Amino acid sequence: EAQVTQNPRYLITVTGKKLTVTCSQNMNHEYMSWYRQDPGLGLRQIYYSMNVEVTDKGDVPEGYKVSRKEKRNFPLILESPSPNQTSLYFCATRYNEKLFFGSGTQLSVL
Amino acid sequence: QKEVEQNSGPLSVPEGAIASLNCTYSDRVSQSFFWYRQYSGKSPELIMSIYSNGDKEDGRFTAQLNKASQYVSLLIRDSQPSDSATYLCAGGLYNFNKFYFGSGTKLNVKP
């Protein structure tokens, strides 16, 4: 089954403790991206990667890092999480114009 | 001004009625637009895309684009309770490398 897999589904952490949210896809798509979703603000793009060689910032990259060492994986790294990064995070791939989203990671930073 | 704006709702319609969802966009957004449906606790899924001025129909769904007014809409005919969800409007640019999403409109279809 074609899918985008994120882990973990839920994560509670404390301010300053480094964490990584993993994203893996089995659809062989070149493009991958990370979004955060907040009430009243909708989905906002954090980073995107056109392929393993090209990664670029979205609209809200501050406080986040990404890595694209291989096509199938695109982890999101929070080096020093803060409470304002509490959000619902989605990883997505794209084929033509269509985005395929993972099931989401609900992150709470205390 | 946000790149893509939507009324957050909720929009309530009776079963069988037409639901009309609207979205406006700024000059920053290109002329490619998308409607995603998001059920509570789930991830968004694409239901319609539209690139040209006018209407595009797919089953019970019709997307409308008016470039002069910078306005996109989604009509759902014969609304069903299973259509109850949040509908996200999105604009794409840079060869679809970047997307701007509205905050979503919550639709409730009452039996």
Side-chain angles (χ1 to χ4, degrees):
Chain A
E1 179 188 354
Q3 58 186 358
V4 180
T5 304
Q6 287 180 235
N7 281 296
R9 183 74 176 87
Y10 300 95
L11 180 58
I12 301 174
T13 190
V14 296
T15 299
K17 186 175 181 181
K18 181 179 178 180
L19 66 91
T20 299
V21 183
T22 64
C23 176
S24 180
Q25 53 112 350
N26 63 1
M27 295 180 281
N28 203 35
H29 292 167
E30 294 287 349
Y31 177 100
M32 298 185 75
S33 184
W34 277 101
Y35 290 84
R36 60 178 289 174
Q37 187 173 34
D38 302 288
L41 296 177
L43 282 161
R44 292 180 292 168
Q45 193 172 36
I46 303 171
Y47 271 96
Y48 67 92
S49 173
M50 295 169 58
N51 53 58
V52 293
E53 296 178 354
V54 181
T55 298
D56 205 353
K57 297 177 180 178
D59 292 307
V60 288
E62 296 78 18
Y64 304 95
K65 288 176 58 177
V66 291
S67 172
R68 190 87 185 275
K69 296 179 181 177
E70 52 188 337
K71 183 187 280 191
R72 65 180 288 123
N73 296 321
F74 192 45
L76 180 69
I77 303 159
L78 284 73
E79 295 271 3
S80 183
S82 62
N84 64 12
Q85 293 178 297
T86 292
S87 186
L88 177 59
Y89 291 86
F90 287 103
C91 178
T93 68
R94 177 180 59 79
Y95 183 74
N96 292 331
E97 79 280 10
K98 182 177 181 179
L99 290 171
F100 297 84
F101 289 90
S103 54
T105 296
Q106 181 64 59
L107 172 66
S108 295
V109 183
L110 305 178
Chain B
Q1 180 191 7
K2 284 191 63 178
E3 286 78 11
V4 176
E5 298 205 61
Q6 294 179 255
N7 186 322
S8 61
L11 173 66
S12 291
V13 300
E15 184 175 355
I18 296 175
S20 177
L21 305 163
N22 305 309
C23 168
T24 58
Y25 61 91
S26 74
D27 291 337
R28 282 193 65 186
V29 183
S30 74
Q31 306 296 292
S32 307
F33 297 93
F34 309 89
W35 285 99
Y36 283 80
R37 178 177 60 200
Q38 185 176 23
Y39 292 113
S40 181
K42 302 295 184 182
S43 56
E45 58 178 335
L46 181 67
I47 55 172
M48 289 287 287
S49 59
I50 187 165
Y51 304 96
S52 305
N53 240 0
D55 296 359
K56 178 182 178 182
E57 186 174 318
D58 184 0
R60 295 186 296 112
F61 298 96
T62 299
Q64 299 174 318
L65 175 59
N66 183 325
K67 295 181 181 179
S69 300
Q70 295 183 285
Y71 181 91
V72 189
S73 65
L74 179 70
L75 301 178
I76 306 175
R77 291 181 299 280
D78 187 24
S79 295
Q80 301 297 309
S82 59
D83 295 325
S84 297
T86 296
Y87 290 80
L88 307 173
C89 175
L93 69 163
Y94 303 151
N95 294 323
F96 308 121
N97 287 326
K98 296 194 75 172
F99 292 85
Y100 290 104
F101 283 81
S103 56
T105 299
K106 186 172 184 179
L107 173 66
N108 292 323
V109 181
K110 299 181 177 180

